[in-house]
């Protein structure tokens, strides 16, 4: 399954990460299609640039460890036109190794031998095999939902509070005496439950 910019999650709960297996491949793209070709690869060969980079950084001691690890991840995922899909358990092991190697310069790389990358090839035809998914701004949608949801909750609270009001006409002092605040009074007026007759005088609006 290949997704283009949609950030679709395809992992299963038991897979241990976003990909279930490691795959080394080359991607060749043009305007109409993308061809993905798998390559067999050994960890010994793939780890060489990682070791060289970490050794140089360890000797220089000028960059922050976090910045170094980020570069290690870029070298892990892509180099010389080849990409590598990496299951999460392998990624975590390599990050742990990289930190240790920065400390002692001797920690052995955690993997060896053939990666198990298949050499099959497949083609994605953009017209035939892909579909566009609406790009939804979840933050904007959630903002609209929260605004509407909060307004609905506030309305329910107002109606519930208004049910405690007794009488049909009041002064401000009488409303205060029933336990209502100036904010309650303002909300009741705004929601059309009571109306202000004149300064300090209010009347219930019959429904």
């Amino acid at each position: 399954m290949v997704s283009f910019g949609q950030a679709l999650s395809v992992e299963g709960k038991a897979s241990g990460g976003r990909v279930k297996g490691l795959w080394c491949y080359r991607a060749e793209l043009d305007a109409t299609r993308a061809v993905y070709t798998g390559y067999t690869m050994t960890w010994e060969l793939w780890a060489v640039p990682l070791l060289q980079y970490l050794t140089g950084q360890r000797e220089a001691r000028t960059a922050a460890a976090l910045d170094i690890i980020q570069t290690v991840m870029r070298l892990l995922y892509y180099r010389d036109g080849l990409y590598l899909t990496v299951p999460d358990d392998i990624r975590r092991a390599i990050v742990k190794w990289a930190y240790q190697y920065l400390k002692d310069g001797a920690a052995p790389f955690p993997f060896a031998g053939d990666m198990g990358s298949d050499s099959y090839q497949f083609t994605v035809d953009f017209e035939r095999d892909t579909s566009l998914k609406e790009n939804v701004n979840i933050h904007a949608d959630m903002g609209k939902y929260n605004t509407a949801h909060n307004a609905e909750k506030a309305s329910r609270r107002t109606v519930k509070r208004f049910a405690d009001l007794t009488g049909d006409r009041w002064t401000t002092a009488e409303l205060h005496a029933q336990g209502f605040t100036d904010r309650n009074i303002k909300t009741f007026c705004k929601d059309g439950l009571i109306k202000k007759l004149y300064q300090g005088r209010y009347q219930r609006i019959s429904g």
Side-chain angles (χ1 to χ4, degrees):
M1 181 177 188
V2 179
S3 63
F4 296 90
Q6 299 298 333
L8 299 179
S9 177
V10 297
E11 74 272 20
K13 290 184 178 179
S15 71
R18 290 192 173 275
V19 291
K20 296 182 180 181
L22 184 146
W23 195 42
C24 182
Y25 66 95
R26 185 181 301 276
E28 299 173 296
L29 290 76
D30 59 32
T32 61
R33 65 176 186 166
V35 179
Y36 296 88
T37 305
Y39 282 77
T40 58
M41 180 63 63
T42 65
W43 280 112
E44 286 81 1
L45 182 60
W46 196 263
V48 168
L50 298 178
L51 287 163
Q52 291 175 340
Y53 171 74
L54 282 172
T55 299
Q57 291 300 316
R58 186 171 183 275
E59 293 173 352
R61 297 185 181 277
T62 56
L66 182 58
D67 294 334
I68 293 173
I69 298 303
Q70 289 175 341
T71 299
V72 167
M73 289 297 98
R74 287 195 291 270
L75 291 171
L76 176 65
Y77 297 138
Y78 174 81
R79 83 169 66 108
D80 300 328
L82 292 178
Y83 297 86
L84 193 68
T85 63
V86 183
D88 194 50
D89 55 343
I90 294 178
R91 181 193 64 80
R92 289 198 305 270
I94 292 176
V95 169
K96 182 178 180 180
W97 161 79
Y99 275 113
Q100 187 59 42
Y101 191 87
L102 277 175
K103 291 180 180 179
D104 60 24
F109 191 76
F111 303 102
D114 186 81
M115 284 182 171
S117 176
D118 294 327
S119 59
Y120 65 88
Q121 181 183 91
F122 68 92
T123 299
V124 176
D125 184 293
F126 297 148
E127 291 292 331
R128 182 193 64 211
D129 302 324
T130 65
S131 60
L132 295 178
K133 184 175 181 292
E134 182 183 359
N135 186 14
V136 177
N137 186 335
I138 188 171
H139 297 293
D141 287 355
M142 285 301 296
K144 291 178 182 178
Y145 169 80
N146 288 334
T147 299
H149 185 63
N150 291 339
E152 183 180 341
K153 286 173 60 178
S155 179
R156 288 199 300 268
R157 286 197 300 269
T158 299
V159 170
K160 184 177 179 180
R161 188 77 178 93
F162 184 71
D164 296 331
L165 180 62
T166 60
D168 294 311
R169 285 179 176 242
W170 318 269
T171 64
T172 302
E174 289 170 339
L175 289 170
H176 287 167
Q178 291 194 44
F180 298 101
T181 64
D182 289 336
R183 183 176 179 179
N184 293 144
I185 297 170
K186 183 178 180 180
T187 300
F188 292 161
C189 290
K190 179 176 69 70
D191 288 359
L193 300 173
I194 67 175
K195 66 180 179 179
K196 187 175 185 178
L197 299 175
Y198 50 89
Q199 185 65 33
R201 295 283 178 172
Y202 300 88
Q203 176 179 309
R204 184 189 296 269
I205 297 177
S206 299

